[in-house]
Amino acid sequence: MTATFPARALRALALAIAAGAAGLALADDDENKRLNINHPEYRSECGSCHIAFPPALLGADSWRAMMAGLDKHFGSDASLDAETSAVITKFLVANAARRDSAGSDGRPLLRISDTRWFRKEHRDGHDGITPGIFRSEAVKSAANCAACHRNAAAGDFSERDIRIPKNGARS
Amino acid sequence: MQSHSLRMFLAGAALLASGFASAETPADFLSRYQTEARQSAPGFSASAERGEKFFTATHGGEWSCSTCHTKNPAARGKHASTGKAIEPMAPAANPERLASTRAVEKWFGRNCKDVLGRTCTPAEKADVVAWLMNSPR
């Protein structure tokens, strides 16, 4: 409690472990943050209502759970025929994060925006993220990656392409 | 004069074949849904006016078809919960529309459940298609 240095070192270590646990191969010095979404069927089927999210941002169990419940997908019917669903599940699982993304109850998380990695990377005050920005008129939802990551639809999350809309602003 | 059963057979064969063909025209969908609707209502004839009403009204839930697709088939829409842009629905404004059974059936299936809590009837689909086809670019 009294010694600040070990506390900070511990925090840094804890963060490193958390990042490792998320299984993300994202080094901070890496300029290009291109994540693989390179699969035509995945991009067209899972990129029609929102951007095609990078498979690397959730664990394999999460993707399997999501693909098993597409008829009730976050309040929308996103059901697919069995054949297409199997092809897409294969792609997602093969490119998933190395570690599972589970919630505190041990069940697989279905939202990238609920993972510990995401919350840390997008915490208030970090690189221009202001409280309430995700609920603002311009962003609406943390799932709306493209509101800030201008090339998210291409799987590109590089820092230089981030533009945070003004809080509450319309765009 | 073609016999009724031959026409039914041809319609059925077209339905089957369409699962494999990729290039279809909006008129194909109109006649297919109309044929299906006539099985229970022989005098049925698709109406663009009814289609517009159906498309722009809510049906007991929060959303209408227009919530995401706008009231103008030639305009770009926006997904109600994600904000993602949706290209125009009218074939005259967007040649990719009403061109593939797979896409059309998939989206009627999903969107009708989201908006009506049930599947759309062939008559409803015929009316909507008639309205979308009627729209100028």
Side-chain angles (χ1 to χ4, degrees):
Chain A
M1 290 295 137
T2 44
T4 48
F5 172 71
R8 272 165 95 197
L10 259 177
R11 232 187 79 223
L13 184 66
L15 284 183
I17 292 171
L24 292 166
L26 294 175
D28 245 353
D29 46 56
D30 192 350
E31 251 297 298
N32 284 319
K33 293 282 159 19
R34 268 192 172 276
L35 299 175
N36 183 15
I37 51 165
N38 216 344
H39 188 281
E41 249 173 319
Y42 175 67
R43 289 180 72 155
S44 84
E45 296 294 349
C46 302
S48 46
C49 294
H50 43 63
I51 62 149
F53 298 112
L57 300 182
L58 281 178
D61 277 0
S62 294
W63 290 123
R64 283 194 200 98
M66 187 172 311
M67 295 303 290
L70 285 181
D71 56 327
K72 293 197 176 65
H73 180 77
F74 304 96
S76 274
D77 185 334
S79 47
L80 283 173
D81 61 273
E83 198 182 319
T84 310
S85 173
V87 167
I88 287 176
T89 305
K90 207 170 148 200
F91 169 72
L92 287 168
V93 168
N95 292 280
R98 275 176 278 118
R99 299 278 188 86
D100 282 336
S101 38
S104 46
D105 59 359
R107 293 179 37 202
L109 291 171
L110 297 183
R111 281 188 184 272
I112 293 164
S113 53
D114 281 345
T115 61
R116 281 174 64 191
W117 162 81
F118 185 94
R119 287 159 163 237
K120 178 175 81 72
E121 192 69 47
H122 298 87
R123 66 190 180 276
D124 287 348
H126 188 219
D127 285 302
I129 292 186
T130 47
I133 184 74
F134 289 117
R135 294 261 152 259
S136 68
E137 183 60 31
V139 179
K140 277 195 165 154
S141 159
N144 188 6
C145 319
C148 302
H149 297 275
R150 294 302 162 111
N151 289 325
D156 190 343
F157 291 86
S158 306
E159 252 177 76
R160 62 170 179 278
D161 294 319
I162 300 177
R163 304 275 182 286
I164 299 185
K166 279 219 187 74
N167 221 349
R170 284 160 200 277
S171 70
Chain B
M1 255 313 249
Q2 272 181 337
S3 81
H4 183 67
S5 57
L6 178 61
R7 259 181 46 218
M8 293 285 289
F9 171 78
L10 287 174
L15 207 76
L16 272 180
S18 62
F20 307 97
S22 53
E24 287 149 297
T25 68
D28 293 340
F29 289 96
L30 183 63
S31 73
R32 180 191 314 171
Y33 292 138
Q34 212 161 229
T35 306
E36 284 178 34
R38 280 176 188 157
Q39 289 172 10
S40 51
F44 176 83
S45 178
S47 146
E49 205 178 309
R50 269 199 316 262
E52 174 172 13
K53 253 189 216 139
F54 176 85
F55 202 85
T56 53
T58 54
H59 301 264
E62 196 188 329
W63 289 339
S64 71
C65 308
S66 296
T67 309
C68 292
H69 293 298
T70 83
K71 296 189 175 191
N72 175 3
R76 268 181 129 197
K78 197 174 168 195
H79 193 284
S81 39
T82 68
K84 188 171 191 289
I86 302 176
E87 294 308 314
M89 293 296 285
N94 177 0
E96 288 178 27
R97 294 301 182 208
L98 305 179
S100 133
T101 298
R102 197 173 164 271
V104 170
E105 279 296 299
K106 179 178 72 186
W107 286 105
F108 265 130
R110 289 172 172 173
N111 294 342
C112 291
K113 275 202 203 119
D114 282 348
V115 171
L116 299 100
R118 60 164 172 84
T119 54
C120 287
T121 64
E124 286 163 345
K125 293 196 266 192
D127 289 346
V128 166
V129 167
W131 181 56
L132 297 179
M133 284 174 69
N134 240 13
S135 164
R137 36 178 315 128

